[in-house]
PDB file of all heavy atoms in Angstrom:
ATOM      1  N   ARG A 585     243.101 239.688  40.460  1.00 82.00           N
ATOM      2  CA  ARG A 585     244.267 239.703  39.556  1.00 82.00           C
ATOM      3  C   ARG A 585     245.389 240.588  40.076  1.00 82.00           C
ATOM      4  O   ARG A 585     246.559 240.361  39.743  1.00 82.00           O
ATOM      5  CB  ARG A 585     243.827 240.143  38.168  1.00 82.00           C
ATOM      6  CG  ARG A 585     243.054 239.067  37.413  1.00 82.00           C
ATOM      7  CD  ARG A 585     242.619 239.538  36.038  1.00 82.00           C
ATOM      8  NE  ARG A 585     241.753 238.550  35.391  1.00 82.00           N
ATOM      9  CZ  ARG A 585     242.194 237.519  34.687  1.00 82.00           C
ATOM     10  NH1 ARG A 585     243.492 237.319  34.513  1.00 82.00           N
ATOM     11  NH2 ARG A 585     241.346 236.670  34.152  1.00 82.00           N
ATOM     12  N   ARG A 586     245.064 241.591  40.892  1.00 85.00           N
ATOM     13  CA  ARG A 586     246.125 242.445  41.419  1.00 85.00           C
ATOM     14  C   ARG A 586     247.008 241.701  42.422  1.00 85.00           C
ATOM     15  O   ARG A 586     248.189 241.987  42.565  1.00 85.00           O
ATOM     16  CB  ARG A 586     245.511 243.683  42.100  1.00 85.00           C
ATOM     17  CG  ARG A 586     245.166 244.802  41.106  1.00 85.00           C
ATOM     18  CD  ARG A 586     244.943 246.093  41.830  1.00 85.00           C
ATOM     19  NE  ARG A 586     243.770 246.071  42.673  1.00 85.00           N
ATOM     20  CZ  ARG A 586     242.537 246.419  42.291  1.00 85.00           C
ATOM     21  NH1 ARG A 586     242.332 246.840  41.061  1.00 85.00           N
ATOM     22  NH2 ARG A 586     241.529 246.361  43.135  1.00 85.00           N
ATOM     23  N   ARG A 587     246.421 240.739  43.134  1.00 85.00           N
ATOM     24  CA  ARG A 587     247.201 240.054  44.176  1.00 85.00           C
ATOM     25  C   ARG A 587     247.315 238.567  43.962  1.00 85.00           C
ATOM     26  O   ARG A 587     248.089 237.883  44.642  1.00 85.00           O
ATOM     27  CB  ARG A 587     246.550 240.299  45.559  1.00 85.00           C
ATOM     28  CG  ARG A 587     245.178 239.673  45.714  1.00 85.00           C
ATOM     29  CD  ARG A 587     244.601 239.912  47.119  1.00 85.00           C
ATOM     30  NE  ARG A 587     243.391 239.159  47.344  1.00 85.00           N
ATOM     31  CZ  ARG A 587     242.176 239.576  47.009  1.00 85.00           C
ATOM     32  NH1 ARG A 587     242.029 240.763  46.458  1.00 85.00           N
ATOM     33  NH2 ARG A 587     241.109 238.844  47.267  1.00 85.00           N
ATOM     34  N   GLY A 588     246.509 238.007  43.052  1.00 86.00           N
ATOM     35  CA  GLY A 588     246.513 236.566  42.798  1.00 86.00           C
ATOM     36  C   GLY A 588     246.737 236.243  41.356  1.00 86.00           C
ATOM     37  O   GLY A 588     247.355 237.014  40.614  1.00 86.00           O
ATOM     38  N   THR A 589     246.218 235.100  40.926  1.00 86.00           N
ATOM     39  CA  THR A 589     246.438 234.618  39.550  1.00 86.00           C
ATOM     40  C   THR A 589     245.183 234.750  38.714  1.00 86.00           C
ATOM     41  O   THR A 589     244.065 234.911  39.236  1.00 86.00           O
ATOM     42  CB  THR A 589     246.865 233.160  39.586  1.00 86.00           C
ATOM     43  OG1 THR A 589     245.783 232.330  40.042  1.00 86.00           O
ATOM     44  CG2 THR A 589     248.073 232.931  40.478  1.00 86.00           C
ATOM     45  N   GLY A 590     245.378 234.660  37.406  1.00 84.00           N
ATOM     46  CA  GLY A 590     244.246 234.683  36.505  1.00 84.00           C
ATOM     47  C   GLY A 590     243.314 233.507  36.748  1.00 84.00           C
ATOM     48  O   GLY A 590     242.091 233.631  36.600  1.00 84.00           O
ATOM     49  N   ARG A 591     243.883 232.356  37.093  1.00 87.00           N
ATOM     50  CA  ARG A 591     243.044 231.183  37.358  1.00 87.00           C
ATOM     51  C   ARG A 591     242.150 231.413  38.573  1.00 87.00           C
ATOM     52  O   ARG A 591     240.978 231.014  38.575  1.00 87.00           O
ATOM     53  CB  ARG A 591     243.926 229.951  37.554  1.00 87.00           C
ATOM     54  CG  ARG A 591     243.138 228.649  37.663  1.00 87.00           C
ATOM     55  CD  ARG A 591     244.060 227.452  37.563  1.00 87.00           C
ATOM     56  NE  ARG A 591     244.743 227.404  36.279  1.00 87.00           N
ATOM     57  CZ  ARG A 591     244.203 226.922  35.163  1.00 87.00           C
ATOM     58  NH1 ARG A 591     242.963 226.480  35.158  1.00 87.00           N
ATOM     59  NH2 ARG A 591     244.916 226.904  34.049  1.00 87.00           N
ATOM     60  N   GLU A 592     242.686 232.024  39.620  1.00 90.00           N
ATOM     61  CA  GLU A 592     241.889 232.328  40.808  1.00 90.00           C
ATOM     62  C   GLU A 592     240.766 233.316  40.497  1.00 90.00           C
ATOM     63  O   GLU A 592     239.639 233.168  40.966  1.00 90.00           O
ATOM     64  CB  GLU A 592     242.792 232.887  41.899  1.00 90.00           C
ATOM     65  CG  GLU A 592     243.760 231.872  42.480  1.00 90.00           C
ATOM     66  CD  GLU A 592     244.831 232.479  43.370  1.00 90.00           C
ATOM     67  OE1 GLU A 592     245.060 233.710  43.260  1.00 90.00           O
ATOM     68  OE2 GLU A 592     245.418 231.731  44.174  1.00 90.00           O
ATOM     69  N   ALA A 593     241.101 234.318  39.681  1.00 88.00           N
ATOM     70  CA  ALA A 593     240.115 235.325  39.290  1.00 88.00           C
ATOM     71  C   ALA A 593     238.987 234.676  38.475  1.00 88.00           C
ATOM     72  O   ALA A 593     237.810 234.933  38.718  1.00 88.00           O
ATOM     73  CB  ALA A 593     240.779 236.453  38.525  1.00 88.00           C
ATOM     74  N   ALA A 594     239.359 233.845  37.511  1.00 88.00           N
ATOM     75  CA  ALA A 594     238.377 233.182  36.666  1.00 88.00           C
ATOM     76  C   ALA A 594     237.488 232.255  37.476  1.00 88.00           C
ATOM     77  O   ALA A 594     236.290 232.161  37.251  1.00 88.00           O
ATOM     78  CB  ALA A 594     239.090 232.414  35.551  1.00 88.00           C
ATOM     79  N   ALA A 595     238.072 231.538  38.428  1.00 90.00           N
ATOM     80  CA  ALA A 595     237.319 230.620  39.276  1.00 90.00           C
ATOM     81  C   ALA A 595     236.277 231.383  40.101  1.00 90.00           C
ATOM     82  O   ALA A 595     235.118 230.950  40.229  1.00 90.00           O
ATOM     83  CB  ALA A 595     238.258 229.845  40.189  1.00 90.00           C
ATOM     84  N   ALA A 596     236.683 232.509  40.677  1.00 90.00           N
ATOM     85  CA  ALA A 596     235.751 233.295  41.508  1.00 90.00           C
ATOM     86  C   ALA A 596     234.615 233.870  40.653  1.00 90.00           C
ATOM     87  O   ALA A 596     233.435 233.818  41.050  1.00 90.00           O
ATOM     88  CB  ALA A 596     236.498 234.415  42.203  1.00 90.00           C
ATOM     89  N   ALA A 597     234.955 234.386  39.478  1.00 90.00           N
ATOM     90  CA  ALA A 597     233.941 234.972  38.607  1.00 90.00           C
ATOM     91  C   ALA A 597     232.981 233.911  38.099  1.00 90.00           C
ATOM     92  O   ALA A 597     231.758 234.108  38.075  1.00 90.00           O
ATOM     93  CB  ALA A 597     234.618 235.668  37.431  1.00 90.00           C
ATOM     94  N   THR A 598     233.522 232.760  37.694  1.00 92.00           N
ATOM     95  CA  THR A 598     232.692 231.671  37.175  1.00 92.00           C
ATOM     96  C   THR A 598     231.761 231.152  38.267  1.00 92.00           C
ATOM     97  O   THR A 598     230.605 230.811  38.020  1.00 92.00           O
ATOM     98  CB  THR A 598     233.564 230.550  36.634  1.00 92.00           C
ATOM     99  OG1 THR A 598     234.442 231.071  35.657  1.00 92.00           O
ATOM    100  CG2 THR A 598     232.705 229.459  36.003  1.00 92.00           C
ATOM    101  N   SER A 599     232.240 231.069  39.499  1.00 93.00           N
ATOM    102  CA  SER A 599     231.430 230.590  40.605  1.00 93.00           C
ATOM    103  C   SER A 599     230.216 231.495  40.835  1.00 93.00           C
ATOM    104  O   SER A 599     229.079 230.997  41.024  1.00 93.00           O
ATOM    105  CB  SER A 599     232.276 230.509  41.876  1.00 93.00           C
ATOM    106  OG  SER A 599     231.494 230.108  42.975  1.00 93.00           O
ATOM    107  N   LEU A 600     230.428 232.797  40.817  1.00 92.00           N
ATOM    108  CA  LEU A 600     229.310 233.750  40.967  1.00 92.00           C
ATOM    109  C   LEU A 600     228.307 233.599  39.840  1.00 92.00           C
ATOM    110  O   LEU A 600     227.085 233.627  40.094  1.00 92.00           O
ATOM    111  CB  LEU A 600     229.853 235.185  41.018  1.00 92.00           C
ATOM    112  CG  LEU A 600     230.558 235.643  42.294  1.00 92.00           C
ATOM    113  CD1 LEU A 600     231.026 237.070  42.133  1.00 92.00           C
ATOM    114  CD2 LEU A 600     229.617 235.536  43.493  1.00 92.00           C
ATOM    115  N   LEU A 601     228.798 233.450  38.654  1.00 93.00           N
ATOM    116  CA  LEU A 601     227.927 233.348  37.469  1.00 93.00           C
ATOM    117  C   LEU A 601     227.084 232.061  37.538  1.00 93.00           C
ATOM    118  O   LEU A 601     225.875 232.097  37.310  1.00 93.00           O
ATOM    119  CB  LEU A 601     228.784 233.389  36.193  1.00 93.00           C
ATOM    120  CG  LEU A 601     228.041 233.568  34.885  1.00 93.00           C
ATOM    121  CD1 LEU A 601     227.238 234.857  34.874  1.00 93.00           C
ATOM    122  CD2 LEU A 601     229.053 233.582  33.736  1.00 93.00           C
ATOM    123  N   ILE A 602     227.719 230.958  37.852  1.00 95.00           N
ATOM    124  CA  ILE A 602     226.998 229.697  37.924  1.00 95.00           C
ATOM    125  C   ILE A 602     225.952 229.703  39.037  1.00 95.00           C
ATOM    126  O   ILE A 602     224.830 229.231  38.883  1.00 95.00           O
ATOM    127  CB  ILE A 602     227.967 228.524  38.112  1.00 95.00           C
ATOM    128  CG1 ILE A 602     228.835 228.327  36.865  1.00 95.00           C
ATOM    129  CG2 ILE A 602     227.243 227.208  38.455  1.00 95.00           C
ATOM    130  CD1 ILE A 602     229.951 227.299  37.008  1.00 95.00           C
ATOM    131  N   THR A 603     226.292 230.306  40.182  1.00 94.00           N
ATOM    132  CA  THR A 603     225.364 230.417  41.276  1.00 94.00           C
ATOM    133  C   THR A 603     224.114 231.188  40.876  1.00 94.00           C
ATOM    134  O   THR A 603     222.992 230.798  41.213  1.00 94.00           O
ATOM    135  CB  THR A 603     226.033 231.087  42.502  1.00 94.00           C
ATOM    136  OG1 THR A 603     227.128 230.279  42.926  1.00 94.00           O
ATOM    137  CG2 THR A 603     225.058 231.249  43.639  1.00 94.00           C
ATOM    138  N   GLU A 604     224.320 232.305  40.154  1.00 92.00           N
ATOM    139  CA  GLU A 604     223.185 233.096  39.698  1.00 92.00           C
ATOM    140  C   GLU A 604     222.330 232.326  38.714  1.00 92.00           C
ATOM    141  O   GLU A 604     221.094 232.315  38.823  1.00 92.00           O
ATOM    142  CB  GLU A 604     223.684 234.399  39.064  1.00 92.00           C
ATOM    143  CG  GLU A 604     222.640 235.222  38.325  1.00 92.00           C
ATOM    144  CD  GLU A 604     221.560 235.757  39.251  1.00 92.00           C
ATOM    145  OE1 GLU A 604     221.748 235.819  40.484  1.00 92.00           O
ATOM    146  OE2 GLU A 604     220.480 236.122  38.716  1.00 92.00           O
ATOM    147  N   PHE A 605     222.928 231.656  37.763  1.00 93.00           N
ATOM    148  CA  PHE A 605     222.163 230.908  36.763  1.00 93.00           C
ATOM    149  C   PHE A 605     221.431 229.721  37.379  1.00 93.00           C
ATOM    150  O   PHE A 605     220.319 229.411  36.992  1.00 93.00           O
ATOM    151  CB  PHE A 605     223.086 230.437  35.626  1.00 93.00           C
ATOM    152  CG  PHE A 605     223.224 231.413  34.508  1.00 93.00           C
ATOM    153  CD1 PHE A 605     223.944 232.589  34.698  1.00 93.00           C
ATOM    154  CD2 PHE A 605     222.606 231.197  33.276  1.00 93.00           C
ATOM    155  CE1 PHE A 605     224.074 233.515  33.679  1.00 93.00           C
ATOM    156  CE2 PHE A 605     222.748 232.122  32.270  1.00 93.00           C
ATOM    157  CZ  PHE A 605     223.450 233.296  32.444  1.00 93.00           C
ATOM    158  N   GLU A 606     222.026 229.101  38.372  1.00 91.00           N
ATOM    159  CA  GLU A 606     221.381 227.984  39.032  1.00 91.00           C
ATOM    160  C   GLU A 606     220.197 228.472  39.876  1.00 91.00           C
ATOM    161  O   GLU A 606     219.140 227.828  39.903  1.00 91.00           O
ATOM    162  CB  GLU A 606     222.354 227.241  39.942  1.00 91.00           C
ATOM    163  CG  GLU A 606     221.738 225.991  40.586  1.00 91.00           C
ATOM    164  CD  GLU A 606     222.733 225.260  41.467  1.00 91.00           C
ATOM    165  OE1 GLU A 606     223.629 225.927  42.047  1.00 91.00           O
ATOM    166  OE2 GLU A 606     222.625 224.023  41.578  1.00 91.00           O
ATOM    167  N   ARG A 607     220.348 229.600  40.519  1.00 87.00           N
ATOM    168  CA  ARG A 607     219.315 230.127  41.388  1.00 87.00           C
ATOM    169  C   ARG A 607     218.054 230.497  40.597  1.00 87.00           C
ATOM    170  O   ARG A 607     216.933 230.285  41.057  1.00 87.00           O
ATOM    171  CB  ARG A 607     219.841 231.358  42.125  1.00 87.00           C
ATOM    172  CG  ARG A 607     218.826 231.976  43.045  1.00 87.00           C
ATOM    173  CD  ARG A 607     219.407 233.183  43.762  1.00 87.00           C
ATOM    174  NE  ARG A 607     218.416 233.772  44.650  1.00 87.00           N
ATOM    175  CZ  ARG A 607     218.630 234.893  45.336  1.00 87.00           C
ATOM    176  NH1 ARG A 607     219.803 235.514  45.251  1.00 87.00           N
ATOM    177  NH2 ARG A 607     217.678 235.381  46.116  1.00 87.00           N
ATOM    178  N   ARG A 608     218.250 231.073  39.412  1.00 87.00           N
ATOM    179  CA  ARG A 608     217.098 231.521  38.609  1.00 87.00           C
ATOM    180  C   ARG A 608     217.094 230.805  37.281  1.00 87.00           C
ATOM    181  O   ARG A 608     216.897 231.418  36.223  1.00 87.00           O
ATOM    182  CB  ARG A 608     217.167 233.039  38.434  1.00 87.00           C
ATOM    183  CG  ARG A 608     217.113 233.790  39.762  1.00 87.00           C
ATOM    184  CD  ARG A 608     216.991 235.281  39.532  1.00 87.00           C
ATOM    185  NE  ARG A 608     216.854 235.991  40.795  1.00 87.00           N
ATOM    186  CZ  ARG A 608     217.876 236.606  41.419  1.00 87.00           C
ATOM    187  NH1 ARG A 608     219.078 236.609  40.877  1.00 87.00           N
ATOM    188  NH2 ARG A 608     217.688 237.234  42.579  1.00 87.00           N
ATOM    189  N   LYS A 609     217.283 229.486  37.325  1.00 86.00           N
ATOM    190  CA  LYS A 609     217.450 228.719  36.091  1.00 86.00           C
ATOM    191  C   LYS A 609     216.254 228.784  35.166  1.00 86.00           C
ATOM    192  O   LYS A 609     216.409 228.786  33.957  1.00 86.00           O
ATOM    193  CB  LYS A 609     217.794 227.267  36.414  1.00 86.00           C
ATOM    194  CG  LYS A 609     216.758 226.546  37.278  1.00 86.00           C
ATOM    195  CD  LYS A 609     217.242 225.135  37.642  1.00 86.00           C
ATOM    196  CE  LYS A 609     216.257 224.441  38.566  1.00 86.00           C
ATOM    197  NZ  LYS A 609     216.758 223.102  38.960  1.00 86.00           N
ATOM    198  N   VAL A 610     215.023 228.844  35.722  1.00 83.00           N
ATOM    199  CA  VAL A 610     213.856 228.888  34.873  1.00 83.00           C
ATOM    200  C   VAL A 610     213.814 230.179  34.070  1.00 83.00           C
ATOM    201  O   VAL A 610     213.503 230.197  32.882  1.00 83.00           O
ATOM    202  CB  VAL A 610     212.553 228.738  35.719  1.00 83.00           C
ATOM    203  CG1 VAL A 610     211.324 228.908  34.831  1.00 83.00           C
ATOM    204  CG2 VAL A 610     212.524 227.378  36.407  1.00 83.00           C
ATOM    205  N   LEU A 611     214.176 231.290  34.722  1.00 86.00           N
ATOM    206  CA  LEU A 611     214.209 232.576  34.043  1.00 86.00           C
ATOM    207  C   LEU A 611     215.232 232.563  32.933  1.00 86.00           C
ATOM    208  O   LEU A 611     214.938 232.927  31.774  1.00 86.00           O
ATOM    209  CB  LEU A 611     214.526 233.679  35.040  1.00 86.00           C
ATOM    210  CG  LEU A 611     214.758 235.087  34.449  1.00 86.00           C
ATOM    211  CD1 LEU A 611     213.512 235.590  33.752  1.00 86.00           C
ATOM    212  CD2 LEU A 611     215.210 236.060  35.531  1.00 86.00           C
ATOM    213  N   TYR A 612     216.452 232.147  33.215  1.00 88.00           N
ATOM    214  CA  TYR A 612     217.522 232.184  32.218  1.00 88.00           C
ATOM    215  C   TYR A 612     217.309 231.130  31.108  1.00 88.00           C
ATOM    216  O   TYR A 612     217.677 231.369  29.972  1.00 88.00           O
ATOM    217  CB  TYR A 612     218.882 232.013  32.882  1.00 88.00           C
ATOM    218  CG  TYR A 612     219.225 233.158  33.783  1.00 88.00           C
ATOM    219  CD1 TYR A 612     219.420 232.998  35.156  1.00 88.00           C
ATOM    220  CD2 TYR A 612     219.325 234.467  33.281  1.00 88.00           C
ATOM    221  CE1 TYR A 612     219.703 234.056  35.987  1.00 88.00           C
ATOM    222  CE2 TYR A 612     219.634 235.532  34.130  1.00 88.00           C
ATOM    223  CZ  TYR A 612     219.812 235.311  35.459  1.00 88.00           C
ATOM    224  OH  TYR A 612     220.078 236.397  36.282  1.00 88.00           O
ATOM    225  N   ARG A 613     216.703 230.026  31.484  1.00 86.00           N
ATOM    226  CA  ARG A 613     216.423 229.036  30.453  1.00 86.00           C
ATOM    227  C   ARG A 613     215.425 229.596  29.431  1.00 86.00           C
ATOM    228  O   ARG A 613     215.542 229.373  28.232  1.00 86.00           O
ATOM    229  CB  ARG A 613     215.844 227.777  31.110  1.00 86.00           C
ATOM    230  CG  ARG A 613     215.736 226.568  30.195  1.00 86.00           C
ATOM    231  CD  ARG A 613     215.635 225.301  31.010  1.00 86.00           C
ATOM    232  NE  ARG A 613     214.514 225.349  31.945  1.00 86.00           N
ATOM    233  CZ  ARG A 613     214.544 224.776  33.147  1.00 86.00           C
ATOM    234  NH1 ARG A 613     215.626 224.139  33.582  1.00 86.00           N
ATOM    235  NH2 ARG A 613     213.489 224.838  33.938  1.00 86.00           N
ATOM    236  N   ALA A 614     214.433 230.324  29.933  1.00 81.00           N
ATOM    237  CA  ALA A 614     213.466 230.935  29.035  1.00 81.00           C
ATOM    238  C   ALA A 614     214.072 232.071  28.207  1.00 81.00           C
ATOM    239  O   ALA A 614     213.846 232.168  26.994  1.00 81.00           O
ATOM    240  CB  ALA A 614     212.256 231.462  29.816  1.00 81.00           C
ATOM    241  N   VAL A 615     214.890 232.885  28.862  1.00 83.00           N
ATOM    242  CA  VAL A 615     215.480 234.041  28.206  1.00 83.00           C
ATOM    243  C   VAL A 615     216.477 233.617  27.122  1.00 83.00           C
ATOM    244  O   VAL A 615     216.530 234.205  26.041  1.00 83.00           O
ATOM    245  CB  VAL A 615     216.151 234.953  29.247  1.00 83.00           C
ATOM    246  CG1 VAL A 615     217.024 235.995  28.568  1.00 83.00           C
ATOM    247  CG2 VAL A 615     215.078 235.632  30.089  1.00 83.00           C
ATOM    248  N   LEU A 616     217.261 232.589  27.401  1.00 84.00           N
ATOM    249  CA  LEU A 616     218.275 232.156  26.463  1.00 84.00           C
ATOM    250  C   LEU A 616     217.750 231.164  25.445  1.00 84.00           C
ATOM    251  O   LEU A 616     218.464 230.787  24.513  1.00 84.00           O
ATOM    252  CB  LEU A 616     219.461 231.541  27.206  1.00 84.00           C
ATOM    253  CG  LEU A 616     220.213 232.510  28.133  1.00 84.00           C
ATOM    254  CD1 LEU A 616     221.276 231.788  28.914  1.00 84.00           C
ATOM    255  CD2 LEU A 616     220.834 233.658  27.340  1.00 84.00           C
TER     256      LEU A 616
END
C-alpha cells in the first residue's frame, strides 16, 4: 500500500491466504 494500490495489496494478501487454505484444506475444513 505504501508504493502500490489497495487492489494490489488485497490480491497479494488473498493469494497467500488461499494458498494456505488449499495446502491444509483437511485441517481447516475440520476446524471451521
Side-chain angles (χ1 to χ4, degrees):
R585 286 179 186 275
R586 278 196 294 269
R587 66 178 188 274
T589 67
R591 188 168 298 279
E592 291 169 341
T598 305
S599 178
L600 286 179
L601 192 58
I602 291 173
T603 298
E604 170 65 18
F605 271 71
E606 183 180 31
R607 179 180 180 184
R608 300 188 176 99
K609 59 184 176 182
V610 176
L611 173 62
Y612 294 118
R613 191 161 55 214
V615 167
L616 297 174

